[in-house]
Amino acid sequence: SSAESFGKQVKHEIIGIDPGAGIMKATNKAIEAYGLSDWKLIEGSGAAMTATLAKDIKNKKPIIITGWTPHWMFSKYDLKYLDDPKKVYGDAEEIHTIARKGLKEDDPTAYEFLDRFEWTSDEMGEIMTAIEEGAKPEDAAKKWADEHADRVNEWIKDLKPVNGNTLKLSYVAWDSEIASTNLLQYVLQDKLGYKVTALQVEAGPMWTGVANGDVDATAAAWLPLTHADYMEKFKDKVDDLGANMTGVKTGLVVPSYVDISSIEDLKK
Ligand code: PBE
């Protein structure tokens, strides 16, 4: 009933994603900072979270999830971030590309391309939405690259292609990172002559792989806040190539039909 608090309606459960994600750590901090000790953060995956979201929205049920932008869910559904007056989820967040130490000397073509790579959330959104609508990730990435040759050419201009050098990327199965990593893989392979392996792993191994040199690079480092603890641990062992996207965001997200607007409202 409408007299029931939002917390009771959702059994005080926040639908989370994989435990290694920075947004999970931020959410545990939010539970602490906002005094939400009766709330539980449910672990799962990005795919399980969006499946639960789809089901509850279809039934117009209340739900609260850990969300981030860019993500196709914001174009598919009417959603809102809860205000975060304590800024537990940070402020000006970016996605960075990080490379292993030594890649610059060992493989200047790949390094220079990865260093130049930078795009917008709208551009990523085109690939993400195509995948959500059923395209294979590699096909969606190829189609995007072929239709945006001007953009791709800015990133590869005057770079000397190689002859089948191998290159390893790591990423987590977050929808945003599936889009970016498939695009990088396509350009590195089809335009620059690399044989690319894209390793889908958890967030911890994604960072560790780059730090210990098993992996050449990842385009999935969310900084300065979301992956702050990974960066703190590995800052001397990785090469931060800077932002490949700015203006990204994480937080707690609810459907617009839910009648709360701030994380503080979860106390009621
Ligand atoms: N995310 C998407 C990740 C980074 C990319 C926000 C789910 C995280 O929380 O670590």
Side-chain angles (χ1 to χ4, degrees):
S1 78
S2 57
E4 217 178 34
S5 73
F6 176 75
K8 278 208 177 125
Q9 292 174 39
V10 299
K11 302 196 178 75
H12 293 94
E13 288 182 351
I14 297 168
I15 306 303
I17 57 169
D18 43 293
I23 203 172
M24 296 296 277
K25 292 166 202 174
T27 301
N28 282 318
K29 280 192 190 137
I31 286 173
E32 181 111 12
Y34 288 93
L36 306 175
S37 53
D38 46 348
W39 283 81
K40 268 198 319 264
L41 174 59
I42 308 298
E43 289 178 1
S45 67
M49 179 273 285
T50 52
T52 305
L53 182 67
K55 195 174 81 205
D56 285 358
I57 285 185
K58 198 168 162 212
N59 299 316
K60 264 226 153 184
K61 277 174 61 181
I63 178 173
I64 176 166
I65 60 160
T66 58
W68 67 96
T69 318
H71 196 292
W72 56 261
M73 63 185 161
F74 287 93
S75 29
K76 182 156 183 181
Y77 309 120
D78 211 352
L79 302 172
K80 62 185 177 190
Y81 279 100
L82 294 184
D83 290 341
D84 172 24
K86 296 185 197 282
K87 295 213 180 296
V88 174
Y89 292 91
D91 222 353
E93 198 68 356
E94 302 177 336
I95 312 177
H96 284 219
T97 306
I98 57 167
R100 69 171 170 85
K101 293 266 191 201
L103 182 68
K104 186 177 188 172
E105 295 73 32
D106 299 346
D107 223 322
T109 295
Y111 184 90
E112 181 63 22
F113 163 63
L114 291 168
D115 196 21
R116 285 183 196 169
F117 172 65
E118 193 176 357
W119 60 337
T120 67
S121 56
D122 285 347
E123 289 174 322
M124 181 193 269
E126 291 170 14
I127 299 184
M128 257 193 293
T129 297
I131 297 170
E132 156 59 14
E133 286 170 355
K136 276 197 199 149
E138 60 265 37
D139 294 343
K142 177 184 187 319
K143 183 164 188 280
W144 190 92
D146 293 349
E147 287 173 0
H148 298 79
D150 51 330
R151 294 290 281 139
V152 175
N153 285 332
E154 289 169 30
W155 304 326
I156 64 173
K157 190 170 184 289
D158 298 331
L159 294 184
K160 198 167 158 292
V162 298
N163 196 1
N165 297 15
T166 58
L167 201 82
K168 267 190 203 156
L169 303 176
S170 60
Y171 71 112
V172 183
W174 299 315
D175 288 306
S176 38
E177 278 53 37
I178 291 170
S180 56
T181 306
N182 274 274
L183 179 61
L184 292 178
Q185 179 167 22
Y186 174 70
V187 175
L188 283 159
Q189 289 188 159
D190 280 68
K191 311 290 173 199
L192 294 172
Y194 287 88
K195 282 206 176 75
V196 178
T197 311
L199 297 167
Q200 201 183 89
V201 293
E202 297 289 321
M206 176 182 96
W207 273 88
T208 309
V210 179
N212 68 22
D214 287 346
V215 165
D216 294 297
T218 179
W222 281 53
L223 295 165
L225 187 111
T226 312
H227 294 169
D229 54 347
Y230 294 122
M231 191 49 152
E232 177 54 31
K233 190 165 170 198
F234 297 122
K235 61 177 180 300
D236 299 329
K237 296 191 164 134
V238 300
D239 188 353
D240 182 1
L241 306 188
N244 60 56
M245 189 178 292
T246 58
V248 301
K249 186 174 165 68
T250 73
L252 293 179
V253 172
V254 295
S256 298
Y257 54 72
V258 162
D259 194 20
I260 57 169
S261 58
S262 168
I263 300 175
E264 285 176 328
D265 299 335
L266 298 177
K267 274 199 96 158
K268 293 174 199 156

